[in-house]
Amino acid sequence: MILEYLEFRAYLYDREVERKAAFLLHELATIWRCSVKNAKRKLKKLTEQRYCSYTPGRGRGNRSEVQFFTDFRKELHTVIRQYLNERDLERLMHVLQLPFPQQWIDDLRKPIQEQLGLQTSEPATDVLHAIITQPMTAIDPARSSITFDQMLVSLIGDPLLQYDADKDELLPHLAIAWEADDRYETWTIFLRKRILFHHHRTLTSADVKYSLERLQQASCANRWLAEDIAWIHCLSPLMVRINLRQSNPLFGRYLASVPMTIVPADAPIQDKHFIGTGAYKITECTESKVVLEAFNDYFKERPFIDAVQFWKIPPEKAQLIAYRVPWMTDSLDRRCRKIA
């Protein structure tokens, strides 16, 4: 019950006078994300466990009153130190997301930093714990526009081509080769063999057709990338031809963009999740946490980092926390560190 208690205490902190505060039961239901009936049960447990005492309001709609027994700041410190000692990052991050004065944890900055960054557990697994301050909005390649969301998409999936900005040239990726006619109206794409999606189905031209047609939907934010496409024809499982309505020499650059990431035709995107072919697969995605794990069957080099956990905390608390990750050569890992 300690987390429910801290959520309750943090919510009422601004109202506290001599450790007393008034509230409505429906507020507890909102805080604890449950029904009013269950909120009453939790409140009863808190009183039984001597976290507080509770005086119900008289009459419908009248405020109830709670009396706390301890200093909130000291109690918060005790709980945070306990989670630090136990290396319980899940609960620690939950507590750090609560609305309490940021200066309260100034003296805990160093031990909190030590729990972040790159950690190695037993058996030998390298996990990067990173802080984010903005919520994830949509991990859907066709609809992604926020920098963090696009970074996640680029880790989970792959486009057909890659663009090297330093050399100003297109490079093979999911496509091993490509051709364009003299007018840049007809593009033929040749796919690599034996590329696997995270659900272990092989990539085919039908997935390319499906992915590009998703971009043509009227509701798609990145529709402009596919508006020149007249038709897409699967010549074979590993060949696809794209015919444009007009000449577009830059279409190869479009094929290298994040919204053009290829998704499987047999696995529609739901609940902010998508299945890709990328170096990492998404295993957890909530409002407060995103977890990526290395995909062992990735068609290129396996990532050095085995898992990346992004934790969302308020910006004012994130400013108190800084951490360093040892230099590594893997480009995907550098991208993770840059966005964190």
Side-chain angles (χ1 to χ4, degrees), residues 268-324:
I269 296 172
Q270 294 180 344
D271 300 326
K272 298 181 179 179
H273 290 67
F274 86 92
I275 294 173
T277 58
Y280 288 92
K281 57 184 178 181
I282 189 165
T283 58
E284 184 178 346
C285 182
T286 66
E287 292 183 359
S288 59
K289 181 182 179 184
V290 179
V291 179
L292 305 180
E293 293 183 2
F295 182 45
N296 291 327
D297 293 315
Y298 187 49
F299 74 100
K300 299 188 84 173
E301 300 87 356
R302 185 191 185 281
F304 178 85
I305 296 178
D306 299 297
V308 185
Q309 298 185 1
F310 296 99
W311 303 85
K312 181 182 176 298
I313 67 172
E316 64 272 14
K317 295 191 178 69
Q319 292 173 4
L320 298 175
I321 303 170
Y323 54 92
R324 297 181 62 189

Side-chain angles (χ1 to χ4, degrees), residues 15 31 36 70 106 109 112 123 129-130 134 154 171 194 197 206 251-252 298-299 308 324:
R15 304 182 194 175
I31 297 167
V36 172
T70 58
D106 275 348
R109 184 185 308 181
I112 290 174
H129 300 287
Q134 299 299 320
S154 69
L171 303 173
R194 294 184 292 276
F197 285 105
F251 188 69
Y298 187 49
F299 74 100
V308 185
R324 297 181 62 189

